[in-house]
Amino acid sequence: MKSKFRTVFPILGVLLALSVNIIIPNHKKLKYAELPHYRYFLWIALAVVILLAILALFNERVRERYSYRGYFICGVFAFLNILDLVTAKFLILPQLYFPSIARIFNVYFEDKELLLQCLESSFLLLVKGIIIGFILGMICGITVGWSKDANYWIYPLIRILGPIPSSTWTPLALVVFPSAQGAAVFLIAFGVWFQITILTCSGIQSVKKAYFEVSSTLGASNLQNLFKIAVPAASPSIFLGFFNATCSSFVALMAAEMIGCKSGLGWYVNWQKTMLSYPNVYAGLIVVAIFCYILVTIQFKVRDKLLSWQEGVVKW
């Protein structure tokens, strides 16, 4: 009964936001007051939450998940309601820096093609940087973690160079690489490389010696010990490094796209900021947040499939 009651809260939250948006007129000095996109969004949201509430009546699984998020969804629309009041309705905040929600929603219709191009550009740049950084990090991590000689000579260099933030390499990257794209890929790959290297090395070194002693007794070679025992046993640690590397690569991506790239979400946000077009800046930031959230969520889904015994150790 309590869970059914909680499914009503999202409907109340959307209805309240819709009522405020319709009943209270926009401030007379508000620019672009006729934009209806936020109201369209609220109507669609109302249809969705009503549909989910009906589904929750008949499906126990939907009811459990939806009722758990009921208060949160209601809180999100309460927050949007407050924003609508302080920006469009009462104009409490300066509209140059704090535009109405309708203006931010309008950006997704006006700049739809440009935002999609920027999203594609950022995605390709991020994938290139992560792949290169991951491959180099795995090679370095396995080498340093497995070989005592490599650990002696290379590990001190990794400990000195690795903690340097990627963005501080920007001047050198712009000189070494012929294009801004190449420099951006380097900055992303550098941050990924360090995280993967450290945690791969740490994971391999923490594998119990008894495993190798048993496998060697059974006739396993050195390479078999490495690739059939050490690397699989270190996979949880490698994934943790990959998660940290992905998060840091988002920071490197935004910084890299601001140093001379002509496309990408970081470039878009920086460009709109210089034009003092803050509705576009907020719209770009929302796309960045959703983009990062989806990528990390996919990463955890893959982790839960490949490392099922690790499910729930690091929650997302």
Side-chain angles (χ1 to χ4, degrees):
M1 184 64 188
K2 186 179 178 181
S3 61
K4 290 181 181 177
F5 179 71
R6 290 178 66 165
T7 60
V8 178
F9 275 86
I11 299 175
L12 296 176
V14 179
L15 278 177
L16 180 62
L18 195 57
S19 301
V20 168
N21 187 261
I22 293 173
I23 295 172
I24 301 178
N26 290 327
H27 195 279
K28 59 183 180 181
K29 292 184 179 180
L30 179 71
K31 296 179 181 177
Y32 310 102
E34 70 283 358
L35 294 174
H37 303 98
Y38 177 53
R39 190 171 298 174
Y40 292 161
F41 165 74
L42 291 176
W43 281 115
I44 294 171
L46 181 62
V48 172
V49 294
I50 290 176
L51 180 62
L52 287 172
I54 294 173
L55 285 174
L57 290 175
F58 304 100
N59 190 307
E60 187 176 352
R61 188 177 178 186
V62 174
R63 182 164 61 246
E64 287 180 0
R65 299 186 66 175
Y66 187 52
S67 63
Y68 176 72
R69 296 291 181 189
Y71 293 150
F72 176 77
I73 297 172
C74 183
V76 169
F77 284 97
F79 177 69
L80 291 177
N81 212 2
I82 294 170
L83 286 181
D84 195 28
L85 287 170
V86 299
T87 56
K89 304 303 179 185
F90 301 126
L91 212 61
I92 296 173
L93 301 173
Q95 57 181 322
L96 175 63
Y97 302 109
F98 300 98
S100 67
I101 304 175
R103 285 192 66 188
I104 297 174
F105 273 82
N106 185 55
V107 173
Y108 297 119
F109 294 88
E110 284 188 341
D111 274 5
K112 179 175 62 179
E113 293 184 2
L114 181 58
L115 279 170
L116 286 175
Q117 290 175 4
C118 291
L119 187 62
E120 180 185 4
S121 175
S122 292
F123 178 75
L124 293 176
L125 202 62
L126 191 69
V127 168
K128 289 178 186 174
I130 287 178
I131 289 176
I132 294 173
F134 180 78
I135 292 173
L136 294 176
M138 284 296 292
I139 294 172
C140 287
I142 291 173
T143 305
V144 173
W146 189 251
S147 168
K148 291 183 179 178
D149 291 336
N151 188 285
Y152 178 81
W153 289 105
I154 301 175
Y155 197 57
L157 296 176
I158 294 173
R159 293 174 64 184
I160 293 171
L161 296 177
I164 300 174
S166 299
S167 56
T168 56
W169 293 96
T170 301
L172 181 63
L174 289 173
V175 172
V176 173
F177 292 91
S179 67
Q181 291 278 341
V185 170
F186 165 77
L187 295 178
I188 297 169
F190 180 83
V192 174
W193 162 79
F194 176 63
Q195 301 276 356
I196 297 291
T197 298
I198 290 296
L199 285 169
T200 302
C201 173
S202 174
I204 289 176
Q205 290 181 334
S206 62
V207 178
K208 293 181 179 178
K209 302 295 182 188
Y211 295 163
F212 303 121
E213 293 171 1
V214 171
S215 62
S216 298
T217 304
L218 295 173
S221 65
N222 202 33
L223 283 178
Q224 287 175 324
N225 279 336
L226 174 59
F227 290 107
K228 292 192 175 181
I229 295 178
V231 174
S235 54
S237 182
I238 294 172
F239 175 82
L240 185 60
F242 190 60
F243 169 68
N244 293 337
T246 304
C247 294
S248 65
S249 68
F250 294 143
V251 179
L253 174 69
M254 294 298 113
E257 287 180 339
M258 294 179 184
I259 63 173
C261 293
K262 299 299 181 184
S263 63
L265 292 172
W267 165 81
Y268 180 83
V269 171
N270 190 47
W271 175 50
Q272 296 297 341
K273 185 195 69 178
T274 58
M275 301 289 287
L276 291 180
S277 182
Y278 278 83
N280 299 63
V281 171
Y282 291 122
L285 291 174
I286 292 171
V287 173
V288 171
I290 295 173
F291 174 62
C292 298
Y293 172 80
I294 291 174
L295 281 183
V296 175
T297 301
I298 291 173
Q299 189 183 102
F300 270 81
K301 293 291 182 186
V302 173
R303 192 284 306 265
D304 291 343
K305 289 289 182 184
L306 296 178
L307 307 175
S308 55
W309 72 93
Q310 285 280 305
E311 186 175 355
V313 174
V314 180
K315 293 185 178 180
W316 173 252

